Amino acid sequence: MTLDTLVARGEQLNHELGREWYLTGAGHKPEADFQAIYDRHLILQDEEALAVVRGANEPALLEWIVDLRVGRRVAPYAEQQLAWEQQAVVTVGDRTVPFLRAGIEIQNAADRAWRTALDHAATAVGAAGLNGLRRDRLAAEREVVSAAVGNDDYVAAVAHLSGMDLERLAEQAEALLGETADLYGDALARLTRRRIGVPLDALVRADSGWAFRADDYDAAFPSDRLVEIAVRQMGEMGLDATEAGRVHVDTEERPGKQPRAFCVPVRVPDEVYLVLRPSGGHSDYRTFWHELGHAMHFAAVDPDRAFHERWLGDNSVTEAFAMLWDHLTLDAGWLGRHTAMGQGGSAAAGQIADLQFELAVAELYLLRRYAAKLAYEIALHRSDYREEIADEYAERLTAATGFRYPRELYLRDVDPGFYSARYLRAWQLEAALARALVEQFDIDWFRNPRAGAFVRELMRRGQADPADRVAAEIGVDPLSFDAAVERLTPLLA
Ligand SMILES: [Zn+2]
């Protein structure tokens, strides 16, 4: 087998997986059959494929072939989990809620007794139904990766494959937690005193969704205007939100459509889907701009680039572009210009400042949550996945977020393959990029065609370079959380 054959088959596989994902996620097809697609391309799973990519000296290709092995090996667990989740229900008193609806229900429940009881019940049901499966899945992934790399330490094996220095990132994350502890604690107290009405030490995880729900502002974020606003805003930067029609936006209501927005590339850069099922409020906007960022990033890639630069590489980069656009919905100037919040003079300015504060607390909550997750996930993968590690999960997450986390989530609240590290690196790169845009093009860079051209030039490269190399090019070396903390501090003070 030559490298060219391998790459051609890989592109075909990604194309078929992408289409299947789009058709089932958008509700065009009732059940996904990923297994059959993997089986049509078994050649990519054999030892020869591994040998060919080892000889190719292209880290992204080796990581991809190992990912395919993982994907096929864990597919039965993923399918069992999906099947279990679709039939499971949670019962509290005389009310029954589908397991998959519970999270949304909890987030939208103003009634504290109800959301706490529902979260408690859902956590117990989930642990009983899924923890065994999750343990087997994580162990299988560890086994496949360790064997392919030839390193029994899974953490070191992932670091080697991905090029991410996980230990160093965990040290930075630990420092971030220390550095922002007071800032976060004070801001969280201000927000939850008003929204939750209990002392800080009584907050539980079920309160976090409602604390950050920002429901007072729902009227300013009508879901039927998302696409129109995005087209206008990107247009002001000289960008085409559809990238000349390569981004297909699917907003039709359809039974079986996933509740959350998602983006899936079917061909890169020629055919990318952005699927949307709005449910109301600011979070629709943030999610839409995030997925639009992924979609525009895939659709903007130079078609002449190699397969691994168009499809593979460090996902911290596409996450950073998604975050660059979703963070616009946290920007006072952007909110004033592109939403109904801009109408009404000084009262409107006060409203925008209030919303911006709430969003900034939520942002630091998320950042601190992921910082804690990384340290925990390193410890978890060096354990035997037994329950002894559950206390460490609850302690770390509770200390970082200020909400008491249940220990039963210790296997479910895990991003396989250290995707948590990609998000953390994306936060670092995005904040550095946003700072550079402000420095070069001023605070309203989001309406400047020169800024648009600058960003598009970076997007055209796909993921040819990892996040740290992109950051170095804009003068930030090494990647750090400095720009993210710098941006949040004045908003929370
Ligand atoms: Zn994303």
Side-chain angles (χ1 to χ4, degrees):
M1 189 191 319
T2 66
L3 187 61
D4 285 348
T5 319
L6 191 87
V7 162
R9 286 303 283 267
E11 184 129 22
Q12 184 60 26
L13 170 74
N14 279 10
H15 168 64
E16 289 173 23
L17 288 173
R19 183 163 302 285
E20 190 73 0
W21 184 16
Y22 164 64
L23 290 176
T24 49
H28 291 295
K29 190 170 180 282
E31 265 172 53
D33 197 356
F34 294 118
Q35 219 34 47
I37 296 172
Y38 279 116
D39 287 349
R40 278 204 289 278
H41 301 282
L42 273 183
I43 187 174
L44 295 168
Q45 303 269 348
D46 63 26
E47 290 306 311
E48 200 190 341
L50 198 56
V52 169
V53 292
R54 279 206 181 105
N57 197 25
E58 178 44 67
L61 288 174
L62 177 61
E63 188 183 15
W64 164 65
I65 285 291
V66 176
D67 274 351
L68 289 183
R69 294 181 154 220
V70 169
R72 186 150 183 274
R73 174 74 183 274
V74 307
Y77 303 114
E79 284 169 13
Q80 280 177 58
Q81 176 167 349
L82 209 65
W84 182 89
E85 284 174 346
Q86 273 160 355
Q87 54 75 45
V89 294
V90 184
T91 305
V92 178
D94 57 359
R95 289 172 78 176
T96 298
V97 177
F99 181 76
L100 286 176
R101 276 286 313 171
I104 299 169
E105 194 76 30
I106 291 162
Q107 190 169 336
N108 285 300
D111 177 351
R112 185 165 195 251
W114 162 241
R115 68 172 178 254
T116 311
L118 181 58
D119 191 37
H120 193 73
T123 300
V125 167
L130 294 174
N131 277 5
L133 262 179
R134 293 288 293 176
R135 181 177 298 121
D136 292 346
R137 184 210 189 283
L138 293 169
E141 178 157 1
R142 180 167 70 181
E143 196 185 301
V144 172
V145 172
S146 295
V149 175
N151 189 333
D152 281 342
D153 179 14
Y154 172 72
V155 179
V158 172
H160 171 80
L161 269 184
S162 66
M164 296 191 290
D165 188 339
L166 294 171
E167 307 269 6
R168 198 186 129 70
L169 186 60
E171 280 166 25
Q172 290 184 325
E174 200 65 41
L176 170 83
L177 288 174
E179 193 187 335
T180 58
D182 291 344
L183 182 71
Y184 179 66
D186 293 346
L188 184 67
R190 266 166 70 195
L191 177 69
T192 55
R193 195 181 307 128
R194 186 167 60 74
R195 285 197 58 89
I196 311 293
V198 300
L200 266 190
D201 59 6
L203 291 171
V204 293
R205 189 186 73 116
D207 294 323
S208 62
W210 186 249
F212 306 128
R213 175 61 182 79
D215 58 309
D216 300 338
Y217 312 92
D218 281 359
F221 299 97
S223 54
D224 57 355
R225 295 202 53 213
L226 279 167
V227 177
E228 165 200 336
I229 295 173
V231 167
R232 185 180 70 203
Q233 183 248 294
M234 292 300 173
E236 286 186 352
M237 294 187 79
L239 299 175
D240 175 356
T242 74
E243 283 286 342
R246 292 190 294 276
V247 175
H248 302 262
V249 183
D250 178 341
T251 54
E252 251 172 69
E253 179 58 28
R254 200 174 295 123
K257 204 173 183 183
Q258 289 283 324
R260 300 287 292 176
F262 67 94
C263 161
V264 51
V266 172
R267 284 179 297 164
V268 180
D270 291 325
E271 189 180 355
V272 182
Y273 290 89
L274 174 50
V275 181
L276 190 62
R277 195 179 192 182
S279 56
H282 177 271
S283 80
D284 274 353
Y285 276 58
R286 184 161 190 186
T287 309
F288 179 68
W289 258 265
H290 182 93
E291 298 306 327
L292 179 65
H294 283 306
M296 288 176 69
H297 186 226
F298 285 120
V301 175
D302 180 351
D304 294 330
R305 282 194 174 264
F307 166 70
H308 66 270
E309 295 171 330
R310 284 179 292 119
W311 278 97
L312 312 177
D314 177 11
N315 280 335
S316 317
V317 175
T318 189
E319 292 302 339
F321 283 103
M323 284 189 188
L324 180 70
W325 301 122
D326 83 40
H327 275 73
L328 284 178
T329 72
L330 278 62
D331 184 280
W334 189 93
L335 288 165
R337 186 169 182 83
H338 290 293
T339 72
M341 295 192 84
Q343 289 130 34
S346 60
Q351 261 220 336
I352 289 176
D354 289 345
L355 171 61
Q356 211 185 11
F357 171 75
E358 292 187 23
L359 298 174
V361 188
E363 168 80 356
L364 189 49
Y365 161 81
L366 271 181
L367 186 54
R368 291 176 59 86
R369 186 177 125 70
Y370 270 86
K373 259 165 70 72
L374 178 59
Y376 164 68
E377 288 177 7
I378 288 176
L380 173 73
H381 290 300
R382 286 180 170 153
S383 78
D384 57 5
Y385 302 115
R386 295 280 147 203
E387 240 197 297
E388 292 81 70
I389 196 87
D391 288 330
E392 180 166 350
Y393 167 77
E395 277 159 27
R396 281 191 186 272
L397 271 289
T398 301
T401 65
F403 296 89
R404 196 163 69 245
Y405 266 68
R407 62 197 297 286
E408 293 85 348
L409 287 176
Y410 80 106
L411 292 169
R412 281 200 291 136
D413 188 11
V414 173
D415 293 312
F418 281 106
Y419 208 83
S420 48
R422 308 275 188 197
Y423 283 127
L424 287 169
R425 282 159 58 85
W427 254 302
Q428 295 181 323
L429 175 58
E430 179 276 327
L433 202 50
R435 184 169 65 185
L437 285 163
V438 170
E439 280 167 7
Q440 286 184 51
F441 306 105
D442 215 342
I443 52 167
D444 59 349
W445 59 265
F446 51 80
R447 48 182 290 205
N448 185 335
R450 285 187 303 125
F454 176 86
V455 175
R456 195 166 188 285
E457 204 44 48
L458 288 174
M459 293 197 300
R460 270 173 61 80
R461 291 157 34 171
Q463 297 193 132
D465 296 308
D468 38 277
R469 231 180 293 153
V470 178
E473 262 182 62
I474 54 165
V476 175
D477 190 13
L479 272 175
S480 80
F481 290 110
D482 291 353
V485 174
E486 208 175 90
R487 178 172 56 187
L488 281 168
T489 304
L491 299 175
L492 295 173

